[in-house]
Amino acid sequence: MAVLAAVLWTANPASGAGAFDYTACDGGQISTTIWNDGHGDIFSLNKPAGIDRCEAAGAAGRTWSNNSTYWWGWYFDTNSDNAQTVFQWKSWGTGDQQQQNYPVLMKVEGGRLKVWYVAPGETWQSVGTTAWTAGSWHKLELGITTRSDNTGSFEVWMDGTKVVGKTGVRTWDDMGNNPRWGTYGTGINGVNSHVWIDDLKLGQSRADVDQGRPCFRSGLRGSPCAVMITAWGEGTLLRISGPHWSQCCRSRCGAGRGWGGGG
Ligand SMILES: [Ca+2]
């Protein structure tokens, strides 16, 4: 019997900004909306022209520590292909209190998702990039193993495909770090940047946060592998659903996790 995912925290859009530790969106708006697209309630983070950022940070009731592994999964959409910084593993403190302002950082820029490792000394290293389509949901998964020496690591997946696997890096700053999601950039101060987040959750492995909407329907959530067995059993379903189904479910249930465990 396979072990079901251990989700440690979820950001419920019904809680609004209260799902997070704090927000940085003065002049903008963090709210809950619904598009009737199957996602139910979703977070809306709207940065109007005239301010640099609209971000939500941390997880209500949770702290983060060195020598730990965290995985976050979330659906993300942007109104433009230039939302700039959309995720920061942001260090606490300012100036000299920090050695790394944001060890792991993700941007949507020029129609691409771009991932950086930012080493001490503000040394930016591009570690992965992939095409980004504004106006569509993308499933993002980020895992960070925190180390204040150079033995940390992180991974980024988008829509079931690994974009980044980086090892031998420093992922925990002197005063600690905190996740931030949203849209930020001085270069986009003059324009509206609007982003949306759904199904944001925290776990200890990728499997914990790799459960979401495209692969299965409501009522079958608890056991995605069982759904895949059903899909294989009914070939038409798989054909109708197309390669996204099979790719998504293979990444979720294949690769050594076995088909026979019933989830
Ligand atoms: Ca939702």
Side-chain angles (χ1 to χ4, degrees):
M1 175 117 179
V3 177
L4 288 176
V7 175
L8 303 175
W9 167 80
T10 57
N12 182 358
S15 301
F20 299 95
D21 187 19
Y22 67 95
T23 61
C25 187
D26 288 345
Q29 188 181 38
I30 296 177
S31 60
T32 302
T33 188
I34 185 166
W35 289 345
N36 295 314
D37 66 345
H39 276 262
D41 289 338
I42 60 175
F43 285 107
S44 159
L45 290 80
N46 190 20
K47 183 203 83 64
I51 62 172
D52 287 347
R53 72 174 80 235
C54 185
E55 295 178 300
R62 294 205 66 91
T63 57
W64 319 97
S65 57
N66 195 9
N67 302 310
S68 300
T69 295
Y70 303 108
W71 276 87
W72 298 272
W74 67 103
Y75 283 92
F76 194 58
D77 188 9
T78 62
N79 76 332
S80 84
D81 65 7
N82 192 35
Q84 286 296 307
T85 299
V86 296
F87 176 86
Q88 303 184 64
W89 184 228
K90 185 76 175 73
S91 302
W92 294 108
T94 57
D96 290 344
Q97 295 173 318
Q98 300 167 337
Q99 290 189 296
Q100 291 163 279
N101 196 341
Y102 23 66
V104 180
L105 187 141
M106 297 162 62
K107 288 187 180 186
V108 168
E109 184 175 67
R112 302 200 58 88
L113 178 73
K114 301 179 178 180
V115 185
W116 276 276
Y117 168 59
V118 186
E122 193 81 12
T123 304
W124 289 58
Q125 298 179 21
S126 174
V127 292
T129 173
T130 191
W132 181 264
T133 307
S136 299
W137 286 113
H138 294 286
K139 178 72 185 286
L140 297 174
E141 293 157 344
L142 166 67
I144 297 180
T145 294
T146 58
R147 296 281 191 276
S148 57
D149 58 18
N150 286 317
T151 63
S153 62
F154 60 95
E155 284 182 27
V156 175
W157 293 66
M158 188 175 100
D159 297 333
T161 299
K162 192 176 189 176
V163 178
V164 173
K166 183 72 178 168
T167 59
V169 290
R170 186 178 188 267
T171 51
W172 188 257
D173 205 51
D174 296 352
M175 295 180 69
N177 292 81
N178 198 36
R180 280 195 196 184
W181 299 267
T183 175
Y184 162 65
T186 54
I188 55 170
N189 176 285
V191 298
N192 170 239
S193 180
H194 200 159
V195 302
W196 298 270
I197 295 170
D198 193 32
D199 280 344
L200 173 59
K201 62 186 71 163
L202 167 72
Q204 292 174 301
S205 70
R206 182 173 170 242
D208 291 344
V209 300
D210 190 38
Q211 292 191 24
R213 223 150 281 280
C215 280
F216 47 93
R217 301 291 176 243
S218 59
L220 297 171
R221 268 181 174 277
S223 186
C225 292
V227 174
M228 192 58 197
I229 289 166
T230 302
W232 280 110
E234 299 179 19
T236 40
L237 241 188
L238 196 61
R239 278 201 298 277
I240 290 167
S241 303
H244 183 65
W245 246 89
S246 56
Q247 181 189 352
C248 183
C249 292
R250 196 161 46 238
S251 70
R252 179 167 303 157
C253 304
R257 299 190 68 195
W259 299 97

